[in-house]
Amino acid sequence: MEIIIKNIEDVLWPVCFAAISIVIGLAINFILQKIFERLSRRTDTVLDDLLAKHCRGPLRLILPSLVFYFFLPLLKTSDVLAFLARIFSVVLILAIAWLVTKLTLVLEDFLLHRYRIDEKDNLKARKINTQVRVLRKVVIVVVGVLALGMILMSFTRVRQLGTSILASAGVLGIILGFAAQRSIATLIAGIQIAFTQPIRLDDVVIVENEWGRIEEITLTYVVVRIWDLRRLIVPITYFLEKPFQNWTRVSADILGTVFICVDYTVPVEAIRKELEHILAASPLWDKKVCVVQITDTTDKTMEVRALMSAADASAAWDLRCHVREKLIDFIRREYPDSLPKLRAEIKNNSSLPDVKG
């Protein structure tokens, strides 16, 4: 009977101690959370609001674990207590890893709030957002690997197994290194793009003869949202190994062109004045460039180029379509004889003999 009571005590006291630690830890978390929320309401910055939003979950696990380990030396060691300590150790490692990933989300949300990409002049905002989002993915992967390694190393049997594998894995490591060479190169390419930034979020690019915007950048691929809402998935190494067009690399403004083939009799100065009138009436024009030039001639027509500027690629596309439509209507209405035509000359040669049947 004494042995049974002793065994019950050996189990009951560690379990009660663990339960009390959880209750005390959650109570401390509740008090600190209320204090922090009250302080955050007194400030205008969004950083404390983001901390309270993202760090609430990890702290609910971290504080009970810390309370458990703080009072652990006061108890007599036992197998049950050692088992509970191992569980709290795993929970603490996972909670700290969770907290670190949440802190990266805090940083990302703070920068997204401060540097908004939906504004007109968003070059700096797109640069910072691209770096933060790619680096956040890198941090999550690194923290996840470190947390998994620390958890496995906390178990004696797994640690011994890992040591023996590492001691005898010389050739295997080389083979795996060659096998993972492509994957490692892809990850390095993702980090390189985050710093060198040949592309950024919301950049306008021409990839594989498709016009679109950079919608998402990961460590392994890039999502391009094409103008017709299709998504082009491109390996991230593509932007380091192949040429592509980036229309917003330095600034978003861009020149648009409209080509019209007309007859030689058309008055170019009239087209030039009409273009100025069309652009002045359009809100899409940024009032920087307005040019009409003859860029080519053939035996039948000449090519007129209208050059105009716009604030971004989307506005330039709509402006080009608008100008093309208005110029064609102007020429058709005012100078219909100057539209492209096929000339033919028929001569009546009376010297030819008459043919009689």
Side-chain angles (χ1 to χ4, degrees):
M1 188 66 179
E2 294 178 357
I3 297 175
I4 296 176
I5 294 174
K6 184 177 180 181
N7 291 334
I8 293 176
E9 292 179 352
D10 291 340
V11 175
L12 185 60
W13 279 111
V15 173
C16 291
F17 171 68
I20 294 172
S21 300
I22 294 174
V23 173
I24 295 175
L26 292 177
I28 296 175
N29 177 69
F30 179 79
I31 295 172
L32 292 177
Q33 180 181 339
K34 292 300 180 182
I35 295 174
F36 191 78
E37 289 178 353
R38 179 172 297 180
L39 293 176
S40 64
R41 284 194 293 267
R42 298 179 180 178
T43 61
D44 297 331
T45 179
V46 299
L47 182 59
D48 47 10
D49 298 329
L50 294 174
L51 288 172
K53 173 185 175 182
H54 289 290
C55 299
R56 185 181 296 115
L59 291 177
R60 289 175 181 173
L61 298 179
I62 292 177
L63 291 176
S65 301
L66 293 178
V67 172
F68 178 86
Y69 277 104
F70 182 78
F71 293 104
L72 182 61
L74 302 179
L75 294 183
K76 184 180 178 181
T77 59
S78 64
D79 294 338
V80 177
L81 190 63
F83 176 74
L84 292 175
R86 188 64 55 79
I87 293 177
F88 274 89
S89 174
V90 173
V91 172
L92 182 61
I93 293 173
L94 292 176
I96 293 176
W98 188 14
L99 178 63
V100 173
T101 57
K102 285 292 187 179
L103 290 176
T104 61
L105 289 175
V106 170
L107 178 61
E108 179 181 358
D109 290 348
F110 176 73
L111 292 176
L112 286 175
H113 181 270
R114 186 172 181 180
Y115 301 97
R116 301 182 62 86
I117 62 176
D118 54 357
E119 297 179 353
K120 185 176 181 180
D121 188 10
N122 61 356
L123 181 62
K124 185 177 181 180
R126 291 187 290 110
K127 178 180 179 180
I128 293 176
N129 279 270
T130 301
Q131 290 178 334
V132 171
R133 291 191 179 186
V134 174
L135 291 178
R136 177 176 63 85
K137 294 178 174 64
V138 174
V139 170
I140 291 176
V141 173
V142 173
V143 170
V145 172
L146 291 178
L148 179 61
M150 294 178 65
I151 292 174
L152 294 177
M153 294 298 290
S154 64
F155 295 93
T156 305
R157 294 182 180 179
V158 177
R159 183 168 62 245
Q160 292 176 350
L161 178 61
T163 303
S164 62
I165 291 176
L166 291 176
S168 60
V171 179
L172 181 62
I174 297 175
I175 296 175
L176 291 177
F178 279 109
Q181 184 178 4
R182 185 68 177 178
S183 300
I184 295 173
T186 301
L187 293 176
I188 294 176
I191 298 173
Q192 183 178 352
I193 281 181
F195 286 98
T196 60
Q197 293 196 339
I199 56 172
R200 289 180 289 264
L201 292 173
D202 207 41
D203 267 348
V204 177
V205 295
I206 304 293
V207 180
E208 297 293 318
N209 296 323
E210 296 283 1
W211 184 96
R213 292 181 178 271
I214 302 296
E215 184 177 55
E216 182 182 358
I217 301 176
T218 70
L219 292 178
T220 55
Y221 63 89
V222 175
V223 180
V224 181
R225 186 181 72 250
I226 304 175
W227 65 273
D228 58 0
L229 300 184
R230 290 178 294 152
R231 265 59 175 181
L232 181 64
I233 311 299
V234 185
I236 200 164
T237 53
Y238 178 95
F239 296 95
L240 297 178
E241 298 174 353
K242 296 183 179 181
F244 64 95
Q245 296 183 39
N246 189 337
W247 290 10
T248 55
R249 178 68 178 87
V250 178
S251 61
D253 54 343
I254 193 171
L255 296 180
T257 56
V258 171
F259 293 94
I260 299 178
C261 292
V262 293
D263 190 73
Y264 280 88
T265 59
V266 70
V268 179
E269 188 61 30
I271 295 179
R272 185 173 288 111
K273 292 181 179 180
E274 180 64 18
L275 177 64
E276 294 174 355
H277 175 72
I278 295 172
L279 293 181
S282 175
L284 299 174
W285 185 47
D286 63 358
K287 299 177 175 58
K288 292 182 180 179
V289 177
C290 174
V291 177
V292 172
Q293 297 172 320
I294 305 295
T295 55
D296 194 12
T297 57
T298 66
D299 58 339
K300 299 180 180 66
T301 61
M302 64 179 181
E303 184 183 72
V304 178
R305 184 184 72 173
L307 189 64
M308 66 221 72
S309 58
D312 53 53
S314 298
W317 172 263
D318 294 335
L319 183 60
R320 289 170 59 197
C321 295
H322 176 71
V323 169
R324 186 182 295 111
E325 175 184 346
K326 292 298 183 179
L327 285 181
I328 292 176
D329 181 69
F330 169 75
I331 297 173
R332 181 186 58 81
R333 185 180 66 253
E334 301 294 334
Y335 304 99
D337 293 336
S338 296
L339 293 174
K341 58 174 67 74
L342 182 63
R343 292 183 172 85
E345 184 177 356
I346 301 176
K347 294 183 179 181
N348 185 12
N349 196 342
S350 59
S351 62
L352 295 176
D354 294 335
V355 179
K356 296 182 180 181

